[in-house]
C-alpha cells in the first residue's frame, strides 16, 4: 500500500450534509450548505469575521488583490517560498511581484526585512500596493509586526493562510484571521477538504459583499443580466460546501493528529541530524506537512537520497517549495534576502503527514529514514 504525503481524510459526517443538498436540489453554487459552511468557519475563527466560499484558494487571492486595489504595474511584495497558486493571481492583476526571504526563526516571511524595505521604499516614493505573507506549512506568519507596518505605510495586507486553518498565532488568535483579508484553501491535500475550494476571510463586510458579487459574474441587481464591471465564476459549489461542514467538525482532531505525527518524526530523527521547522513560542502550527532539513549532498543522507529511497518503497515525500525567485518564470525578478529560503529548498523535505496515517505507516517512514541517516 502506498503511503501518501497528505490525502483526504473523511469523517463520515460529510454524507449527511451532502445528502441534504441533494434532497433539497441545491446543487448550484448557492444554497443553505454554502451559507452554513461560511458561518461555521467564521464562528471558528471568531473576531466578527466574514467568510466567502470560493472555488479555490487562488480564486480567493485573486479576488482579494482586486478588491484591495492592486492593478497593472503595482508592486506586490510576497513570500518567495510559497506554492505557485499563491503568486499567479499577482500576474492575473498585471502587477509586479517582489519576492522576500524567510526568517530562520520561524520559516515565515522576514517581517524585519519587510520593515527595512518599506522604509526605503517610502523614501523613494515607490511603496507596494499590497504585501502577501504565506503561513508556511501550517505556521502563521508574524502577524503583529506585519499588521503594524502595513498600517504605518498604508499598504494592504493579504495573508495566504491556505495551509494553516486550525493553527494559532500568539494569544490564541486563529490562523486565517489576519490582515485586510486572508485566504484559505480546501484542496484535497489540506487539513480539511471540500475536494477543491477556498475561502476569503475579512473583517470588512463591504469586502465580503464585493467578493460575493465578483465571484458570481458581477451581475447587477436587475431582472435581466446587467453588468457594470466584469466578474468571475468563482463561487464554491453548495454540494462541496456540504463536505466542508462535515470536515469542520473534525478540524481540531485533524490538527492534533498531524502535530502528534510531527512530534514522532522529531523525536526519532532530530537526534540523527534532521533540523525540523521551528515553532516560535506562543504559536501553534497545524504541521500540515512535516518539513525538515537534511544533510547537504556529500555530508550524509541528503534530501534527494532520502526522497528517492522512500519513493522506491512507495512512500511519497516532497521537496520544500522551490522559491519563486528561483523559478524560470520569474528569472530576473526582484528578490530581497540572504538566501535562507534557497538553503531550505536545497536541503528540505516534507515527510508523509496525513491524519489518516496508521502507527505502522509512521513507523515504516521513520525506520527507513533513520536507517539512511545512521548509514550516512
Amino acid at each position: 500500500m502506498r503511503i501518501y504525503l497528505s490525502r483526504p481524510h473523511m469523517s463520515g459526517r460529510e454524507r449527511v450534509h451532502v445528502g441534504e443538498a441533494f434532497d433539497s436540489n441545491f446543487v448550484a453554487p448557492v444554497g443553505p450548505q454554502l451559507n452554513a459552511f461560511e458561518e461555521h468557519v467564521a464562528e471558528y475563527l471568531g473576531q466578527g469575521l466574514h467568510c466567502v466560499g470560493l472555488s479555490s484558494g487562488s480564486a480567493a487571492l485573486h479576488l482579494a488583490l482586486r478588491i484591495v486595489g492592486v492593478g497593472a504595474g503595482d508592486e506586490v511584495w510576497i513570500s518567495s517560498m510559497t506554492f505557485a497558486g499563491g503568486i499567479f493571481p499577482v500576474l492575473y492583476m498585471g502587477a509586479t511581484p517582489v519576492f522576500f526571504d524567510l526568517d530562520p526563526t520561524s520559516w515565515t516571511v522576514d517581517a524585519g526585512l519587510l520593515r527595512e524595505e518599506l522604509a526605503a521604499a517610502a523614501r523613494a516614493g515607490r511603496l507596494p500596493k499590497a504585501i502577501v505573507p504565506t503561513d508556511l506549512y501550517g505556521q502563521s506568519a508574524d502577524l503583529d509586526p506585519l499588521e503594524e507596518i502595513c498600517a504605518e505605510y498604508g499598504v494592504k495586507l493579504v495573508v495566504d493562510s491556505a495551509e494553516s486553518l486550525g493553527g494559532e498565532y500568539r494569544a490564541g488568535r486563529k490562523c486565517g484571521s489576519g490582515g485586510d483579508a486572508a485566504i484559505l484553501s480546501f484542496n484535497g491535500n489540506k487539513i480539511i477538504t471540500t475536494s477543491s475550494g477556498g475561502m476569503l476571510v475579512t473583517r470588512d463586510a463591504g469586502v465580503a459583499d464585493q467578493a460575493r458579487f465578483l465571484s458570481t459574474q458581477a451581475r447587477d441587481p436587475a431582472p435581466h443580466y446587467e453588468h457594470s464591471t466584469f466578474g468571475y465564476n468563482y463561487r464554491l459549489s453548495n454540494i462541496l460546501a456540504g463536505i466542508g461542514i462535515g470536515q469542520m467538525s473534525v478540524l481540531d482532531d485533524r490538527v492534533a493528529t498531524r502535530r502528534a505525527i510531527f512530534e514522532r518524526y522529531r523525536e526519532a530523527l532530530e537526534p540523527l541530524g534532521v533540523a525540523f521547522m521551528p515553532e516560535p513560542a506562543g504559536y501553534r502550527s497545524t504541521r500540515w506537512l512535516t518539513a525538515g532539513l537534511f544533510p547537504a549532498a556529500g555530508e550524509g543522507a541528503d534530501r534527494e537520497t532520502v526522497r528517492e529511497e522512500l519513493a522506491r518503497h512507495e512512500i511519497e515525500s516532497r521537496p520544500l517549495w522551490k522559491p519563486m525567485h528561483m523559478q524560470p518564470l520569474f528569472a530576473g525578478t526582484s528578490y530581497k534576502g540572504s538566501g535562507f529560503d534557497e538553503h531550505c529548498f536545497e536541503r528540505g523535505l516534507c515527510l508523509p503527514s496525513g491524519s489518516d496515517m496508521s502507527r505502522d505507516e509512521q513507523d515504516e517512514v521513520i525506520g527507513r529514514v533513520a536507517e539512511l541517516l545512521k548509514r550516512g
Side-chain angles (χ1 to χ4, degrees), residues 232-276:
Y232 316 91
N233 185 20
Y234 275 176
R235 205 73 162 98
L236 181 66
S237 158
N238 192 60
I239 296 289
L240 300 188
I243 299 174
I245 297 169
Q247 288 274 280
M248 281 300 295
S249 68
V250 293
L251 171 58
D252 288 338
D253 291 340
R254 299 294 188 254
V255 171
T257 298
R258 289 184 190 246
R259 287 180 61 84
I261 291 169
F262 172 88
E263 285 302 317
R264 292 204 70 211
Y265 284 134
R266 187 187 63 78
E267 290 172 6
L269 303 178
E270 194 171 61
L272 300 177
V274 181
F276 287 98

Side-chain angles (χ1 to χ4, degrees), residues 15-27 33 239:
R15 291 178 181 273
V16 174
H17 304 287
V18 172
E20 290 172 350
F22 271 99
D23 292 343
S24 63
N25 204 35
F26 275 108
V27 295
Q33 280 68 36
I239 296 289

Side-chain angles (χ1 to χ4, degrees), residues 156-227:
K156 297 298 183 179
L157 180 64
V158 179
V159 183
D160 182 349
S161 296
E163 303 166 3
S164 64
L165 180 63
E168 294 182 358
Y169 182 57
R170 295 170 180 163
R173 183 177 176 185
K174 298 288 189 182
C175 295
S177 64
D180 296 284
I183 69 104
L184 305 173
S185 172
F186 305 113
N187 186 41
N189 64 3
K190 294 300 189 292
I191 297 284
I192 63 169
T193 182
T194 55
S195 86
S196 64
M199 192 165 279
L200 185 150
V201 183
T202 179
R203 293 185 182 83
D204 190 329
V207 169
D209 288 343
Q210 280 186 273
R212 289 191 175 90
F213 172 69
L214 292 173
S215 66
T216 50
Q217 303 288 19
R219 181 183 177 185
D220 293 331
H224 53 278
Y225 280 86
E226 181 87 355
H227 301 276

Side-chain angles (χ1 to χ4, degrees), residues 93-155:
M93 299 306 303
T96 301
V98 176
F99 297 117
F100 280 76
D101 201 356
L102 305 178
D103 180 340
T105 67
S106 66
W107 293 19
T108 59
V109 72
D110 190 331
L113 178 60
L114 281 166
R115 181 182 289 278
E116 293 173 7
E117 292 295 329
L118 280 172
R123 290 193 295 270
R126 54 170 186 80
L127 284 167
K129 179 66 73 170
I131 292 176
V132 183
T134 298
D135 291 353
L136 192 66
Y137 295 118
Q139 182 146 284
S140 176
D142 196 356
L143 290 175
D144 286 345
L146 289 172
E147 291 178 336
E148 178 184 323
I149 58 178
C150 284
E152 178 181 349
Y153 289 100
V155 175

